[in-house]
Amino acid sequence: MVKKILVIGGNPHLDWFSLFENELLYGTEEIQVDMGMWDELQMTSYSDSGLVINLKAASVVHHEKQKSNRSFTPDFLLVRSANRGVFSQDWRNILYGLMHSNVPCINNLESLYICQEKPIVYGRLRQVQKRLGKDNFPLIEQTYYPSWESMTFVSTFPMVAKVGTAHAGFGKMKLEERGAFDDFRSVVALQNNYVTAEPFIEWDYDFRIQKIGNNYRAFRRFSTNWKGKGMQQKDEDIVVEERYKLWIDEASRAASMGDNCICALDGVHSKVDGLCC
């Protein structure tokens, strides 16, 4: 029997056809793989006949089949990137269709749904903190504003304000005083996203904890940019402490219905008091 795996998103230059070549599932079942970016696929989910994926010809070709449009009926999904981008890319309707189909996925589709919006993830992490205590599960304090109209009170400066759910430093500003906050508020009024605000942490490095199955990795990142990750950074592997395992295990469970098979957690190390959060 042949099992069909569809890889969605991630690095288009990574050749999943070669990675799965000659591999067998449970040692007996042949694996057939296809891959595509979010913007290369359309789908239909039928309650009686399942999920049909229509893939466009790929911009980066690893296999002959990618040169033309094609259809694929996957038995399993491997999603390698978020279904929303910083330049108004939005494939949430595709995600909803995948959820409608009930085709199994890594990570599970419920976790992808939850992680679409960072305030939802933060709320779940707060539940963990309430159970374990602030010392055992530290979080940066955060304020949520649903719109510019509610941005009337702020408790501390300097602060970092973020518009909506964005990545790679986009939609984020460091505000030093009330006048800058009011200017930022006037810009927020021109769009419909929510805003989150946090006290600015004087940090000497930020760090990432990764978990894939039962394998853990931790590394810290040094940057000349206050936004940190992705900005002129240098990475350095560090020892995976027991507290790091606790944090990533709890975050993995919090951001899904059950454990995530693949999970990452970011934090910063304060140069003032040496605390991580």
Side-chain angles (χ1 to χ4, degrees), residues 3-60:
K3 292 295 185 182
K4 298 180 179 179
I5 298 176
L6 176 65
V7 181
I8 301 175
N11 183 353
H13 297 281
L14 184 58
D15 184 358
W16 290 94
F17 297 96
S18 296
L19 289 174
F20 280 103
E21 188 176 10
N22 299 322
E23 296 294 333
L24 298 175
L25 186 63
Y26 303 120
T28 58
E29 296 178 303
E30 182 183 345
I31 296 173
Q32 180 181 339
V33 68
D34 208 334
M35 60 181 289
M37 301 298 105
W38 284 104
D39 61 352
E40 294 174 349
L41 64 90
Q42 285 295 330
M43 54 75 60
T44 308
S45 174
Y46 302 95
S47 60
D48 56 349
S49 55
L51 175 65
V52 178
I53 299 288
N54 295 308
L55 290 158
K56 299 177 184 178
S59 55
V60 179

Side-chain angles (χ1 to χ4, degrees), residues 145 151-161 173-186 197-200:
Y145 303 104
M151 296 172 64
T152 56
F153 177 77
V154 61
S155 60
T156 184
F157 291 102
M159 64 181 294
V160 176
M173 289 187 66
K174 181 183 177 184
L175 307 175
E176 300 283 357
E177 40 80 31
R178 179 73 201 208
F181 181 83
D182 290 339
D183 288 343
F184 177 75
R185 178 175 180 261
S186 71
E198 306 167 352
F200 175 73

